[in-house]
Amino acid sequence: MTGASVPSSPKWRRRADARPAEIVKAAYAVFAEKGFAAARLDDIAKRAGISKGALYLYFETKQDIFEAVVKDAVAPNIGAIESFALGFPGPFEQLIRMMIPQVADLANQSDMGKVIKMVIGESGNFPEIARIWHADVIAKGIGLLTSVIARAQERGEVRPGDPRQHALSIASPLLVAVIFRETFVPVGAKPFDILCLMQQHLDNLLPGLLTSPRT
Amino acid sequence: MTGASVPSSPKWRRRADARPAEIVKAAYAVFAEKGFAAARLDDIAKRAGISKGALYLYFETKQDIFEAVVKDAVAPNIGAIESFALGFPGPFEQLIRMMIPQVADLANQSDMGKVIKMVIGESGNFPEIARIWHADVIAKGIGLLTSVIARAQERGEVRPGDPRQHALSIASPLLVAVIFRETFVPVGAKPFDILCLMQQHLDNLLPGLLTSPRT
Amino acid sequence: MTGASVPSSPKWRRRADARPAEIVKAAYAVFAEKGFAAARLDDIAKRAGISKGALYLYFETKQDIFEAVVKDAVAPNIGAIESFALGFPGPFEQLIRMMIPQVADLANQSDMGKVIKMVIGESGNFPEIARIWHADVIAKGIGLLTSVIARAQERGEVRPGDPRQHALSIASPLLVAVIFRETFVPVGAKPFDILCLMQQHLDNLLPGLLTSPRT
Amino acid sequence: MTGASVPSSPKWRRRADARPAEIVKAAYAVFAEKGFAAARLDDIAKRAGISKGALYLYFETKQDIFEAVVKDAVAPNIGAIESFALGFPGPFEQLIRMMIPQVADLANQSDMGKVIKMVIGESGNFPEIARIWHADVIAKGIGLLTSVIARAQERGEVRPGDPRQHALSIASPLLVAVIFRETFVPVGAKPFDILCLMQQHLDNLLPGLLTSPRT
DNA sequence: AATGAATGAGCATTCATTCAT
DNA sequence: CATGAATGAATGCTCATTCAT
């Protein structure tokens, strides 16, 4: 009763146990490959190095695991870009040009591609997940871009037009390239170099999107 | 695909030739809603107004039905647009401006939206289907646009740059809007007006993509 | 109404229609290969060159067809041998020696081998068939041999002993060779030459079975 | 194989090692009664006192269970008889006279009777099983007898002639009696007393098969 | 916390049988 | 007579979930 035998940190009910994260990681791989329905808990457990029964110590149902996988991929990276973009003092063109490599890198490195494939494929069966992803990723991403554009329009840097549509104008090739990579490249399609693609895209787009600085 | 599949005849209609199409139609609806694995043959049969066993008079396996659904969404309209585009005598800008409403219409009316969602979601489990869709739709569509662009570049109408990336520059918002509509609009997202979106997109894009005729 | 348009023969209700016989023949082949349960009516119909539905014009159920096949193989050949054996005036040894080639020939030529395999295999599911075959073939065959032996014993030609067991002593190698041929030869076993086997068997057996003519 | 398979324990017994044997035992009973195709996994599971799904913890397919049943009936006793026979120092007649009760006992007690009925009936559908049984039981059994005979011929104890045919001469009544018991006795046929039959058979056969020691 | 044997509902597929034509 | 489309019950197999240990 000296008090040392229980964790003193009150913040975490359950100590920083690695298990749930390992399970989510394993589940991510299996769900990404098979989709929700075709994924087998057996495989997830095996990949996580635990027994099938142990999954139920951390999650209530298969669906819970799936949701954890999908939600886990949501949080991390939007925040950084968001604060960077909203705090950026320079002109719109410069911001966009700087953001592109970051975002392309994110698209290349993160698991978001596989996750978005899952979200698209299972949205019919898991509206909740579609809702979460829409709220936390899609709407937030598009919203960020939209508000950046809207502010640039206010400053006269970007020509008039629905800023949300402008946002799609800018970002779509990236999204398509990611989906393309996850869906068709594995069956032999030639991939796109995302950074290169986006730079060429901006070269195409910006002349029309930006207001000519001197007229 | 309106879902009004209640048979009006006694209970038993003799028209062996119409059956496969009816089945594919019913299966389309079920697969689109549930995905491949979660779709039940019972539901498909019920929706087609026949017994489960009767499905097997026309298809060998569930997968065959799925493939028929996916292939069925392929054929119809690519050909028409293709011959129109390749035979078009006028300048590139005019061609693109004329094609957009056609393609937007196709995107709005056909079943392609739900099917592409399925293709993305099930590509991991059915590489064959991903392959078919890549070959018959994606590669063909992008290829068409790519070759139109390449020819315009030869005529000096379009600025240099990888024409395949140019094609993605042009078409991506359409694809993203379709996927967005199938995935997030059902859970409350505000849809894009595809025609409007694409026109604004072209207004953004063409100034930079086309070589300014007089400078 | 001249009377010529209907068959004049009153003996056959249904004209000598070849159909049922053709069906039985086709069914024989399929049942012999697959057994009762694994045989498909589709295959039988196809082999008989008619539609599956037409089978039901001649037979009520699959089981009826099976029984027809098995019963059909019963009748033909026992009778001839029976009357020959029972009417044979000479000594037992001569009778047996003369019968062996006939019976071996029957075993080699007829379908009885395949049918007996079916009877053995399906006897659990079709006791009726086992009963018929026992009554019409097995009991009759063994009974014939038994009574021939019994008469020979009465004449002092065959040594004492249960004549039914004597019958099995004589006939068993033939039966085993037939079953062996149907069961193991198709998977590579070396077949027995039935006639040769039986002659050697009689050479072994008769010295002990017959009473030595001079003692 | 007594059929008293009602579980006496609560409902759920932990003995993963005993399970396969229990399943095979239950499956033996069901297969023996119905044949392979007509046997239902439900019945096997019920008889084994477990759920249908549990079968698949121990066997991959129905066919695997069937093969386990058939192989299980192979192993036990051939080996013992084999070593006994090959090591026997005395004369052929004595060996045979001693073996008969053993073998008759085996035929009366073991499951081999029902299994051989199954092998015969299903050989068309499971060539592999026919092959196994031929290799492990039939060929081995006949081969044993054949080599014993051949050695006796070398010693001049048995008269010339194909020793494999001699083997069939000797053993056939046993086999026929077993098949007869499984097939026709259940429908009312009078069974053979196998030991008695075989002794009478040997009394018939040996005088002709052995070379008369003194003439 | 962890295991893994066991469950049982669920589903794709087959096929004998029926029946409108 | 004949067809062959249609049925629907039957069954092998799967897998998320439970629970005694």
Side-chain angles (χ1 to χ4, degrees):
Chain A
M1 297 295 177
T2 54
S5 62
V6 271
S8 53
S9 159
K11 283 190 229 162
W12 299 306
R13 180 78 38 89
R14 183 187 283 161
R15 272 174 315 116
D17 194 0
R19 273 289 148 75
E22 283 168 16
I23 292 171
V24 167
K25 190 176 148 199
Y28 159 78
V30 178
F31 282 134
E33 186 188 355
K34 307 274 190 182
F36 176 80
R40 286 183 297 130
L41 252 17
D42 263 319
D43 290 345
I44 294 174
K46 198 168 300 172
R47 202 172 192 120
I50 60 175
S51 72
K52 194 164 45 159
L55 292 177
Y56 285 82
L57 298 172
Y58 302 96
F59 298 92
E60 302 257 310
T61 65
K62 184 187 186 184
Q63 184 165 341
D64 284 342
I65 301 178
F66 185 63
E67 292 180 356
V69 167
V70 177
K71 285 174 189 164
D72 244 46
V74 166
N77 321 82
I78 295 287
I81 294 178
E82 194 167 20
S83 56
F84 169 78
L86 293 179
F88 187 80
F92 176 77
E93 176 170 10
Q94 199 177 336
L95 171 60
I96 288 294
R97 294 260 180 214
M98 290 182 66
M99 279 177 70
I100 285 302
Q102 283 185 53
V103 177
D105 208 52
L106 189 64
N108 283 326
Q109 313 251 314
S110 85
D111 300 331
M112 218 179 280
K114 291 189 185 340
V115 175
I116 209 169
K117 193 182 77 167
M118 285 161 39
V119 172
I120 291 170
E122 304 292 348
S123 62
N125 294 321
F126 298 96
E128 185 54 25
I129 281 179
R131 199 169 290 122
I132 290 172
W133 253 69
H134 177 247
D136 289 0
V137 183
I138 308 298
K140 198 171 277 182
I142 295 181
L144 170 60
L145 199 47
T146 302
S147 63
V148 166
I149 290 167
R151 288 199 288 177
Q153 286 176 319
E154 285 168 13
R155 293 196 306 268
E157 291 182 54
V158 168
R159 79 171 184 84
D162 177 356
R164 189 159 164 267
Q165 292 188 356
H166 278 333
L168 221 59
S169 259
I170 294 172
S172 285
L174 178 92
L175 298 171
V176 170
V178 167
I179 293 170
F180 187 87
R181 181 188 68 204
E182 300 300 335
T183 306
F184 299 115
V185 171
V187 296
K190 182 180 154 210
F192 288 93
D193 175 324
I194 291 184
L195 181 54
C196 176
L197 166 73
M198 287 307 288
Q199 276 165 344
Q200 181 173 325
H201 179 59
L202 284 188
D203 292 342
N204 295 339
L205 195 68
L206 290 181
L209 188 63
L210 302 175
T211 53
S212 5
R214 71 195 68 161
T215 303
Chain B
M1 300 300 170
T2 51
S5 53
V6 219
S8 51
S9 327
K11 167 193 185 176
W12 200 77
R13 297 165 299 177
R14 164 148 322 246
R15 39 186 168 122
D17 40 346
R19 275 288 144 78
E22 287 171 17
I23 292 171
V24 167
K25 189 171 135 192
Y28 162 79
V30 178
F31 283 137
E33 187 188 352
K34 308 272 190 180
F36 177 81
R40 286 182 298 127
L41 250 13
D42 262 320
D43 290 344
I44 294 175
K46 201 165 296 170
R47 200 174 194 118
I50 60 176
S51 70
K52 197 167 36 162
L55 294 177
Y56 287 84
L57 297 174
Y58 303 97
F59 297 92
E60 305 251 312
T61 64
K62 185 185 185 185
Q63 183 167 343
D64 282 343
I65 301 179
F66 186 60
E67 291 181 0
V69 167
V70 174
K71 284 176 188 162
D72 241 46
V74 168
N77 317 77
I78 296 284
I81 294 179
E82 193 167 21
S83 58
F84 169 77
L86 294 179
F88 187 79
F92 176 76
E93 174 169 12
Q94 199 177 334
L95 171 60
I96 288 294
R97 294 263 181 212
M98 290 183 68
M99 279 177 68
I100 285 302
Q102 283 186 52
V103 177
D105 208 52
L106 187 63
N108 283 326
Q109 313 245 315
S110 83
D111 300 332
M112 225 181 270
K114 288 186 179 8
V115 172
I116 208 171
K117 192 184 76 169
M118 284 160 39
V119 171
I120 292 171
E122 304 290 349
S123 61
N125 294 321
F126 299 97
E128 188 52 27
I129 281 182
R131 201 169 288 123
I132 290 171
W133 253 68
H134 176 247
D136 289 1
V137 183
I138 307 298
K140 196 173 278 183
I142 294 182
L144 170 60
L145 199 47
T146 301
S147 64
V148 166
I149 289 167
R151 287 199 293 176
Q153 286 177 320
E154 285 168 14
R155 293 196 307 266
E157 292 183 53
V158 167
R159 80 170 183 84
D162 178 356
R164 189 159 165 266
Q165 293 187 356
H166 279 332
L168 220 60
S169 259
I170 295 173
S172 285
L174 179 94
L175 298 171
V176 170
V178 167
I179 293 170
F180 187 87
R181 181 187 70 206
E182 301 300 336
T183 305
F184 299 115
V185 170
V187 296
K190 182 179 156 212
F192 288 91
D193 177 324
I194 291 183
L195 181 55
C196 177
L197 166 73
M198 287 307 288
Q199 276 166 343
Q200 181 173 327
H201 179 59
L202 284 188
D203 293 340
N204 294 340
L205 195 68
L206 290 182
L209 189 61
L210 302 176
T211 54
S212 4
R214 73 194 66 165
T215 302
Chain C
M1 297 294 177
T2 54
S5 62
V6 271
S8 53
S9 160
K11 281 191 232 159
W12 300 308
R13 179 78 38 89
R14 184 187 282 161
R15 273 174 316 118
D17 194 0
R19 271 290 149 72
E22 283 167 16
I23 292 172
V24 167
K25 189 175 146 199
Y28 159 77
V30 178
F31 282 134
E33 188 188 353
K34 307 272 190 183
F36 177 79
R40 287 182 297 130
L41 250 18
D42 263 318
D43 290 345
I44 294 174
K46 198 167 297 169
R47 201 171 193 122
I50 60 176
S51 72
K52 194 165 44 159
L55 293 177
Y56 285 84
L57 299 172
Y58 302 96
F59 297 92
E60 304 255 312
T61 65
K62 184 187 186 184
Q63 185 166 340
D64 284 342
I65 302 179
F66 185 63
E67 291 180 355
V69 167
V70 177
K71 287 174 190 165
D72 244 47
V74 167
N77 320 82
I78 295 286
I81 294 179
E82 194 167 20
S83 56
F84 169 78
L86 294 179
F88 187 81
F92 175 76
E93 175 170 11
Q94 199 177 336
L95 170 60
I96 287 295
R97 294 260 180 214
M98 288 183 68
M99 280 178 68
I100 285 303
Q102 283 185 54
V103 177
D105 209 52
L106 188 63
N108 282 325
Q109 312 250 315
S110 83
D111 300 332
M112 217 178 282
K114 290 187 186 342
V115 174
I116 210 170
K117 193 182 75 169
M118 284 160 38
V119 171
I120 292 170
E122 304 291 348
S123 60
N125 295 320
F126 298 96
E128 186 53 26
I129 281 180
R131 201 168 288 123
I132 291 171
W133 255 68
H134 176 247
D136 289 1
V137 183
I138 307 298
K140 199 173 277 181
I142 295 182
L144 170 60
L145 199 47
T146 301
S147 63
V148 166
I149 289 167
R151 288 199 291 178
Q153 286 176 320
E154 286 166 12
R155 293 197 306 268
E157 291 182 54
V158 167
R159 80 170 182 86
D162 178 356
R164 189 159 164 266
Q165 292 188 356
H166 278 334
L168 221 60
S169 258
I170 294 173
S172 286
L174 178 92
L175 298 172
V176 170
V178 167
I179 293 170
F180 187 88
R181 180 187 69 205
E182 300 300 334
T183 306
F184 299 114
V185 171
V187 297
K190 182 180 156 210
F192 288 92
D193 175 325
I194 291 184
L195 181 55
C196 176
L197 166 73
M198 287 306 288
Q199 277 166 344
Q200 182 173 325
H201 179 58
L202 285 188
D203 292 340
N204 295 339
L205 195 68
L206 291 182
L209 188 65
L210 302 177
T211 53
S212 4
R214 72 194 68 165
T215 301
Chain D
M1 298 298 172
T2 50
S5 53
V6 218
S8 51
S9 327
K11 169 195 184 175
W12 199 77
R13 297 166 297 176
R14 164 143 327 240
R15 39 187 169 122
D17 40 346
R19 275 289 143 77
E22 286 170 17
I23 292 171
V24 167
K25 188 171 136 192
Y28 162 79
V30 178
F31 282 137
E33 186 188 353
K34 308 272 191 182
F36 177 80
R40 286 182 297 126
L41 251 12
D42 263 321
D43 290 345
I44 294 175
K46 201 166 298 171
R47 200 176 195 116
I50 60 176
S51 72
K52 196 168 37 160
L55 294 177
Y56 287 84
L57 297 174
Y58 303 97
F59 298 93
E60 306 252 312
T61 65
K62 187 186 183 184
Q63 183 167 342
D64 282 343
I65 302 180
F66 186 60
E67 291 181 359
V69 168
V70 174
K71 285 177 190 162
D72 242 48
V74 167
N77 317 77
I78 296 282
I81 294 179
E82 193 167 20
S83 57
F84 169 77
L86 293 180
F88 188 80
F92 176 76
E93 176 170 10
Q94 199 178 337
L95 170 60
I96 288 294
R97 294 263 180 211
M98 289 182 68
M99 279 177 70
I100 285 302
Q102 283 185 52
V103 177
D105 207 53
L106 186 62
N108 283 326
Q109 313 246 315
S110 83
D111 301 332
M112 226 182 268
K114 288 185 176 13
V115 171
I116 208 169
K117 192 183 76 168
M118 285 160 38
V119 171
I120 292 170
E122 304 291 349
S123 62
N125 293 321
F126 299 98
E128 188 52 27
I129 281 181
R131 201 168 289 124
I132 290 170
W133 253 67
H134 176 248
D136 289 359
V137 184
I138 308 298
K140 197 173 277 183
I142 295 183
L144 169 60
L145 200 46
T146 301
S147 63
V148 166
I149 290 168
R151 288 200 291 177
Q153 287 176 319
E154 285 168 12
R155 294 197 307 266
E157 292 182 54
V158 168
R159 79 172 183 84
D162 178 354
R164 189 158 166 266
Q165 293 188 356
H166 278 333
L168 220 60
S169 259
I170 295 172
S172 285
L174 178 94
L175 297 171
V176 170
V178 166
I179 294 170
F180 188 87
R181 180 187 69 204
E182 301 300 336
T183 306
F184 299 113
V185 170
V187 296
K190 181 180 155 211
F192 288 93
D193 176 324
I194 291 184
L195 181 55
C196 176
L197 166 73
M198 287 306 289
Q199 276 164 345
Q200 182 173 325
H201 179 60
L202 284 188
D203 292 340
N204 294 339
L205 194 69
L206 289 182
L209 189 62
L210 303 176
T211 53
S212 7
R214 73 193 69 162
T215 302

